[in-house]
Amino acid sequence: MKKVEFDIPVITNHPITPSIKEGAMAHVRPFVAKQGHQEALGFPGELVDDWHDKAIEKMRELLGKYRSLQVFMDSCVKCGACTDKCHYFLGTSDPKNMPVARQDLMRKVYRRYFTFAGKYFPKLVGAVDLTKEVLEDWYSYYHQCSECRRCSVYCPYGIDTAEVTMAGREILASVGVGQKYSNEIIGKVYKIGNNLGLPEKALANTLEDLEEEVKDDIDVDVRFPLDVKGADVLLVTPSADFFAEPHVDGLIGYAKVFHQAGVSWTLSSHASEAANFGLFIGSQDNMQKVAMRVREAALELGVKRIIVGECGHAWRVAYSYWNTLIGPFDFLDPKYPVPQHICESTYDLIQQGALKFNKEENDDKIVTFHDSCNVSRASRMGNMPGGQFVIPREIIKAACNHFVDMREDTIKEGTFCCGGGGGLLTDDLVELRVKGASPRVQALHEVIEQHGVTHMAAICAICKSQFTKVLPYYDMQMDMIISVHQLVGDALELGVER
Amino acid sequence: MSFLSYLYAGLFYCAAMVMVVGVGRKVMVYTRIPAPLKIPTTPAPTTRFGVVGRMLREVVFFESLFKSSKWTWLFGWAFHFGLLLALIRHLRYFTEPVWSWVAFLQSAGIYGGYAMVFGLLGLWGRRFFVDRVRYISAPSDHLMLALILAIAGSGLLMKYVWHTDVVALKAFALGLLWFNWAPLPSDPILLIHLGLVICLMFVFPISKLLHVPGLFFSPTRNQVDDSREQRHAPTSV
Ligand code: SF4
Ligand code: SF4
């Protein structure tokens, strides 16, 4: 294991809420975007001279653009109900990582410039001027929020800190201090088509290699089609699925399902990425521009359906925003939901009896399921509320004999973020990622102790990468984390009569 | 009629005006600002009807708060429900003849007063004893609790210790309502009680009491989860 320069949280048998430690994470901040990365997204290259006025102007603009932001700025009563709900607070003890305190970084400025009380009685209501120090704090702590919305579940007014974080990041980017990781990646999507910067040729080769690999493995011709005009289904999946471990086993799983069910499908080189980091930086314009490639690809290939692979935030953007940003989808088959989640599609096929499993293939595993935040709290699957919790679990149970859930308050709508979401999956934030993962790791530790759990399945590329990286810090195996569709792919009976 | 009576009458009118106009303006602002994207916190109801149910559960039972912190819920709910009962009890000053259900709930109003004090003390205690809540409390948060506690306390004192002339008080209240002014009894405790209420009305639209209208406008709670079925236009309000 690598040398570690920070304390790794101790994993206890029961969850604990730490006492606050002021300034514990003040030193943590991601790299700032370079000029080129900023300008590619339409932001100024460096901190502009009149940043103060520009920032306040931007704030005014956002307050007039998002009802959520305006209502959230006004409504908090400081009841404290959210203070022990954020995994970053639980993992770091830094009080500025309590959701309400994170919002207050902006709210205190809002009050100073936009409210009567803050203009005339700033001390009384805790209002402050926007100074360089405040801006620095914004940069630090708006990049210590994974926009996971856990706090919004528990707030009596539904105040969603993620909305405030997004606004904070957009203001920062618009005065010249964007975040390198997210902005660089969005730039790659514009230039090359996906987060990893994998060009079309390389993608085609990768898919060919996969076909060979599967053929060698199980002696079945499972296809991984690219840019096939007239296919029924366009699959849009996070680019990590193309070669990162354990993601790629998920992709193999999707391909096997389509193969066995006889679904004609294709990937697209134009939209070879489901991820949409426009969400993370709070920029609706960039989010729309990134999403638009999917519409273009679907039209160009003439598909009838769009299915989205295992990716949490991508599913949020697809489920909640695509219709608004790149819809309407009247050119697609109305018999299927648009977009459809890969799990919805697989679940339907299981229901129809189109898939048969040899569950014993997974008997070496005792599996638990990590609900990803964006799927759980910002989207749905199926046609009933909470389908996003039922469907993946039903799929796992169809493919495995041994499944157990983690503690109830750490799953479903109360699920803990993996610690790497919201544009924080970068090496310059490893300390935050490791500490922020601790509430999830604690709950996982419980089921390992009690039920001998060996694997945790997930349906999000970020979760998978994050756990692969951070589990070893807690002396857990990095390959504990697997794709739901790996379980599916491993147990699916191929070639048998349907 | 004394100067004090005129002063209090005048202040009441001003305070009512500030409160109604202030909150009304905020509501207008909230209504005008678009909600460009669908952001209900899921699982969320998939129909309008379901959303009404969700909002009702929030307003009546504080559902989300119940999920998050049982103590805060207990104190908060006791305070708000007590406040409701106390307000209902006070309707007897503004109705003639007193509505029968208001008469029926008179003694419940007293318990409401107790519940308010209990809840407020609990909420205030958290601001001192829970380090996280202490950290986020601004002076205004303490003042607001002090103000409402003083209102509840002075009210209870009038019931049990220093009685005031409730018949004359009712005449004053009805006079305010029908613009047919009558003198206000000049017991100090009553003047304090009413003075504090006037303060509260003044600060309502410029303080965190805006959580009252805010609750109804929170997109994470009031949006329907139907983004695939219904295209939500970015300009939707
Ligand atoms: S959205 Fe998630 S990461 Fe951000 S403050 Fe809320 S709980 Fe913490
Ligand atoms: S739960 Fe909501 S109202 Fe309470 S402190 Fe947190 S953000 Fe504010």
Side-chain angles (χ1 to χ4, degrees):
Chain A
M1 213 169 82
K2 269 185 297 184
K3 203 167 141 281
V4 192
E5 294 101 16
F6 52 88
D7 293 334
I8 298 166
V10 179
I11 297 303
T12 48
N13 285 332
H14 299 285
I16 38 173
T17 304
S19 303
I20 62 174
K21 259 202 238 96
E22 282 186 47
M25 291 295 274
H27 61 285
V28 171
R29 58 208 315 268
F31 297 145
V32 175
K34 300 218 180 64
Q35 192 171 3
H37 302 139
Q38 279 281 95
E39 283 167 358
L41 274 59
F43 299 124
E46 55 185 30
L47 186 66
V48 295
D49 291 334
D50 51 347
W51 58 269
H52 175 276
D53 298 355
K54 280 260 156 56
I56 298 297
E57 244 349 278
K58 188 74 188 178
M59 194 161 161
R60 188 188 313 279
E61 179 194 321
L62 296 182
L63 285 165
K65 183 172 170 193
Y66 297 108
R67 181 187 297 161
S68 52
L69 187 64
Q70 175 67 58
V71 170
F72 295 165
M73 284 292 117
D74 284 334
S75 300
C76 174
V77 296
K78 311 289 169 72
C79 70
C82 61
T83 54
D84 56 353
K85 300 298 183 283
C86 177
H87 53 289
Y88 289 122
F89 170 71
L90 295 173
T92 68
S93 313
D94 190 320
K96 286 185 184 159
N97 276 331
M98 300 187 298
V100 43
R102 198 187 309 288
Q103 300 156 22
D104 265 3
L105 295 175
M106 183 174 295
R107 189 176 288 113
K108 63 189 183 183
V109 174
Y110 163 75
R111 286 193 167 155
R112 184 76 181 108
Y113 294 83
F114 298 95
T115 72
F116 178 85
K119 276 182 196 153
Y120 300 102
F121 309 98
K123 288 251 163 50
L124 190 67
V125 296
V128 302
D129 290 322
L130 179 59
T131 59
K132 260 277 174 46
E133 288 72 51
V134 173
L135 206 71
E136 295 282 326
D137 251 11
W138 281 19
Y139 192 79
S140 259
Y141 291 99
Y142 287 132
H143 292 101
Q144 297 191 37
C145 168
S146 56
E147 303 172 348
C148 77
R149 312 189 95 199
R150 188 167 195 266
C151 44
S152 85
V153 171
Y154 297 101
C155 172
Y157 315 111
I159 296 177
D160 180 7
T161 315
E163 293 288 308
V164 182
T165 291
M166 289 172 193
R169 292 184 188 177
E170 190 172 11
I171 296 172
L172 285 165
S174 73
V175 298
V177 269
Q179 183 217 22
K180 173 168 180 276
Y181 172 69
S182 295
N183 290 7
E184 189 175 6
I185 279 181
I186 297 172
K188 270 190 220 157
V189 174
Y190 291 155
K191 246 188 35 234
I192 306 168
N194 51 56
N195 284 10
L196 293 176
L198 193 67
E200 184 183 339
K201 190 86 190 7
L203 177 58
N205 289 340
T206 308
L207 295 173
E208 264 169 43
D209 291 349
L210 275 179
E211 289 183 356
E212 275 170 34
E213 195 185 313
V214 176
K215 172 91 178 157
D216 287 349
D217 195 22
I218 56 168
D219 201 26
V220 181
D221 283 309
V222 175
R223 301 257 81 99
F224 291 80
L226 181 65
D227 293 328
V228 176
K229 284 213 164 130
D232 283 347
V233 169
L234 168 63
L235 176 75
V236 188
T237 205
S239 56
D241 279 2
F242 298 131
F243 55 79
E245 284 291 347
H247 315 58
V248 65
D249 300 306
L251 177 63
I252 294 173
Y254 320 151
K256 287 180 179 172
V257 168
F258 288 141
H259 172 93
Q260 180 61 15
V263 174
S264 104
W265 68 292
T266 185
L267 291 154
S268 152
S269 56
H270 180 58
S272 53
E273 178 63 69
N276 191 331
F277 281 26
L279 173 74
F280 297 158
I281 64 168
S283 164
Q284 201 177 322
D285 296 341
N286 279 291
M287 187 157 75
Q288 183 161 32
K289 205 165 144 198
V290 171
M292 195 54 84
R293 296 164 314 122
V294 176
R295 182 187 175 91
E296 290 158 2
L299 283 168
E300 187 197 306
L301 296 170
V303 296
K304 300 196 183 81
R305 305 160 56 187
I306 305 176
I307 293 182
V308 179
E310 294 183 3
C311 184
H313 85 281
W315 179 240
R316 174 181 188 174
V317 174
Y319 175 88
S320 295
Y321 306 150
W322 272 4
N323 205 357
T324 299
L325 296 177
I326 60 169
F329 293 105
D330 39 16
F331 56 95
L332 296 171
D333 186 345
K335 285 204 298 295
Y336 295 90
V338 188
Q340 195 176 25
H341 195 280
I342 186 75
C343 284
E344 294 181 303
S345 155
T346 299
Y347 180 69
D348 280 352
L349 293 169
I350 294 174
Q351 298 287 298
Q352 292 159 19
L355 306 176
K356 290 273 174 296
F357 294 97
N358 183 3
K359 290 179 161 194
E360 283 69 37
E361 291 290 334
N362 285 317
D363 270 357
D364 57 331
K365 303 183 185 75
I366 301 175
V367 180
T368 192
F369 179 64
H370 166 75
D371 290 282
S372 298
C373 32
N374 279 300
V375 176
S376 305
R377 294 185 283 258
S379 77
R380 176 168 44 109
M381 286 182 204
N383 47 24
M384 59 158 188
Q388 68 269 39
F389 310 133
V390 178
I391 289 176
R393 283 177 175 75
E394 287 306 313
I395 294 175
I396 295 174
K397 287 183 204 159
C400 304
N401 282 316
H402 311 296
F403 173 80
V404 288
D405 258 323
M406 288 179 276
R407 212 174 63 241
E408 190 63 28
D409 62 326
T410 72
I411 57 172
K412 301 181 183 170
E413 71 171 355
T415 189
F416 277 117
C417 168
C418 62
L424 308 182
L425 191 76
T426 168
D427 282 345
D428 35 322
L429 290 174
V430 164
E431 179 176 351
L432 178 77
R433 288 166 55 189
V434 169
K435 292 180 172 176
S438 66
R440 166 48 76 226
V441 172
Q442 194 277 327
L444 176 60
H445 168 78
E446 283 181 24
V447 286
I448 293 176
E449 292 290 304
Q450 291 161 16
H451 303 284
V453 161
T454 61
H455 289 80
M456 179 163 67
I459 47 172
C460 171
I462 289 177
C463 297
K464 293 172 201 169
S465 301
Q466 158 75 353
F467 284 123
T468 305
K469 172 101 182 179
V470 302
L471 286 179
Y473 285 85
Y474 294 99
D475 293 324
M476 294 180 178
Q477 298 297 320
M478 63 189 240
D479 52 11
M480 277 192 79
I481 179 77
I482 50 174
S483 304
V484 166
H485 272 80
Q486 172 179 346
L487 295 167
V488 171
D490 285 353
L492 187 63
E493 293 188 24
L494 291 178
V496 293
E497 275 307 303
R498 285 198 263 134
Chain B
M1 236 171 73
S2 68
F3 166 72
L4 260 181
S5 304
Y6 281 115
L7 180 68
Y8 268 72
L11 284 173
F12 259 116
Y13 285 129
C14 289
M17 195 84 132
V18 166
M19 185 167 138
V20 170
V21 172
V23 175
R25 229 204 66 216
K26 267 291 171 191
V27 167
M28 291 264 286
V29 169
Y30 293 160
T31 320
R32 265 207 319 269
I33 305 174
L37 295 170
K38 276 280 186 154
I39 57 167
T41 307
T42 57
T46 51
T47 60
R48 264 277 134 223
F49 192 69
V51 163
V52 171
R54 182 185 203 178
M55 295 302 294
L56 271 178
R57 292 197 305 278
E58 286 296 355
V59 173
V60 179
F61 302 115
F62 301 3
E63 184 181 45
S64 298
L65 189 58
F66 186 77
K67 278 183 205 163
S68 52
S69 162
K70 299 292 181 280
W71 282 111
T72 313
W73 177 84
L74 179 70
F75 296 138
W77 197 79
F79 160 60
H80 284 87
F81 191 65
L83 175 65
L84 177 69
L85 289 177
L87 285 175
I88 290 173
R89 179 177 159 91
H90 283 72
L91 279 180
R92 70 177 167 155
Y93 292 110
F94 296 93
T95 50
E96 182 58 46
V98 175
W99 299 332
S100 55
W101 64 276
V102 173
F104 179 73
L105 286 173
Q106 282 305 299
S107 47
I110 298 290
Y111 293 111
Y114 292 138
M116 282 176 73
V117 171
F118 164 79
L120 288 164
L121 287 176
L123 291 172
W124 209 354
R126 284 180 57 80
R127 295 210 183 277
F128 290 104
F129 300 121
V130 181
D131 66 342
R132 304 185 306 278
V133 187
R134 189 166 61 229
Y135 178 87
I136 57 170
S137 300
S140 55
D141 298 310
H142 289 281
L143 271 184
M144 187 61 77
L145 284 166
L147 176 63
I148 304 178
L149 194 60
I151 292 174
S154 54
L156 284 171
L157 281 177
M158 267 184 290
K159 167 75 189 159
Y160 290 111
V161 188
W162 297 298
H163 302 282
T164 189
D165 181 350
V166 289
V167 177
L169 177 60
K170 178 157 184 171
F172 174 77
L174 283 172
L176 280 182
L177 206 55
W178 303 111
F179 300 97
N180 177 20
W181 302 302
L184 175 69
S186 59
D187 310 81
I189 187 79
L190 175 66
L191 296 181
I192 291 174
H193 185 69
L194 295 184
L196 294 172
V197 170
I198 289 168
C199 284
L200 188 72
M201 290 164 76
F202 271 121
V203 298
F204 201 106
I206 54 163
S207 70
K208 64 179 182 180
L209 299 184
L210 284 175
H211 70 277
V212 179
L215 172 57
F216 295 93
F217 286 92
S218 180
T220 57
R221 291 290 181 270
N222 73 13
Q223 287 187 340
V224 183
D225 173 16
D226 61 356
S227 45
R228 286 193 291 196
E229 294 79 10
Q230 293 287 325
R231 181 157 190 259
H232 177 83
T235 49
S236 304
V237 290

